[in-house]
């Protein structure tokens, strides 16, 4: 029985070393947050977004985070959002590959630059080749800069991941605790 428990703990240890390091949490606008005056057309540059990552929007009162269609993004149309939040801290899990569009739904804010388009690549344990080009339906070309993922190991300073070393330490401590009790 003890060897079975040790085997389960070891399997969990191996899994925890790899899974947490694949997802990244990006703080939109870095220290500026989600605010008027931040250049969201260049913010995605150099960042690699993948399914499983999350975007965190930090903002004060008087703003919203609306996920919208490409056409609503391009025209800054409010009122047709796919999702909306005005809590002050909005976390958007990136669940699907493709381009995701976000605007501030307060009248005039999108037109003042509070709009963000990010291209999300498929989740992968290996680095993508970077040779693919994201496709955009005709007539829906976003005005913001989008990026094509080039590697899963490069993240901006605004992204946070659980270090495999920390995961290893936690799992080793857990393993020791479980084995000491048996």
């Amino acid at each position: 029985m003890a060897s079975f428990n040790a085997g389960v703990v070891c399997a969990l240890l191996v899994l925890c070393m790899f899974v947490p390091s694949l997802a990244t949490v990006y703080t939109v606008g870095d220290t500026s947050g989600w605010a008027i005056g931040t250049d969201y057309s260049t913010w995605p540059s150099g960042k690699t977004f993948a399914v499983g990552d999350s975007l965190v929007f930090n903002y004060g009162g008087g703003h919203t985070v609306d996920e919208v269609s490409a056409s609503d993004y391009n025209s800054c149309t409010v009122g047709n959002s796919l999702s909306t939040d005005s809590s002050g801290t909005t976390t958007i899990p990136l669940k699907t590959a493709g381009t995701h569009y976000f605007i501030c739904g307060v009248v005039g804010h999108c037109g003042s630059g509070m709009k963000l388009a990010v291209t999300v690549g498929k989740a992968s344990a290996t680095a993508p080749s970077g040779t693919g080009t994201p496709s955009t339906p005709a007539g829906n070309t976003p005005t913001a800069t989008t990026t094509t993922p080039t590697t899963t190991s490069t993240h901006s300073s605004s992204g946070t991941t659980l270090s495999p070393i920390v995961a290893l330490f936690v799992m080793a401590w857990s393993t020791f605790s479980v084995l000491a009790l048996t």
Side-chain angles (χ1 to χ4, degrees):
M1 180 70 173
S3 64
F4 174 76
N5 288 341
V8 169
V9 171
C10 288
L12 287 173
L13 173 65
V14 170
L15 180 64
C16 287
M17 286 175 43
F18 294 105
V19 173
S21 64
L22 297 178
T24 301
V25 176
Y26 291 95
T27 300
V28 174
D30 299 317
T31 58
S32 298
W34 185 236
I36 293 176
T38 302
D39 185 2
Y40 298 106
S41 66
T42 59
W43 179 81
S45 299
K47 295 172 181 66
T48 301
F49 302 97
V51 171
D53 291 348
S54 296
L55 299 176
V56 175
F57 294 79
N58 294 314
Y59 51 98
H63 296 297
T64 67
V65 175
D66 296 3
E67 186 166 5
V68 297
S69 66
S71 61
D72 286 348
Y73 172 86
N74 289 326
S75 63
C76 285
T77 300
V78 297
N80 300 322
S81 61
L82 305 171
S83 67
T84 187
D85 187 53
S86 60
S87 66
T89 301
T90 303
T91 301
I92 305 287
L94 301 173
K95 297 178 181 179
T96 58
T99 303
H100 295 261
Y101 303 94
F102 304 94
I103 65 171
C104 179
V106 175
V107 176
H109 289 194
C110 177
S112 296
M114 282 189 74
K115 55 193 281 186
L116 171 68
V118 295
T119 300
V120 179
K122 294 179 182 177
S124 174
T126 60
S129 66
T131 59
T133 303
S135 61
T136 303
N140 289 336
T141 305
T143 56
T145 302
T146 57
T147 59
T148 301
T150 56
T151 178
T152 57
S153 62
T154 302
H155 299 292
S156 75
S157 60
S158 65
T160 55
T161 59
L162 179 62
S163 165
I165 301 299
V166 172
L168 179 62
F169 175 76
V170 169
M171 290 306 296
W173 178 79
S174 299
T175 302
F176 176 76
S177 297
V178 168
L179 294 176
L181 295 174
T182 58

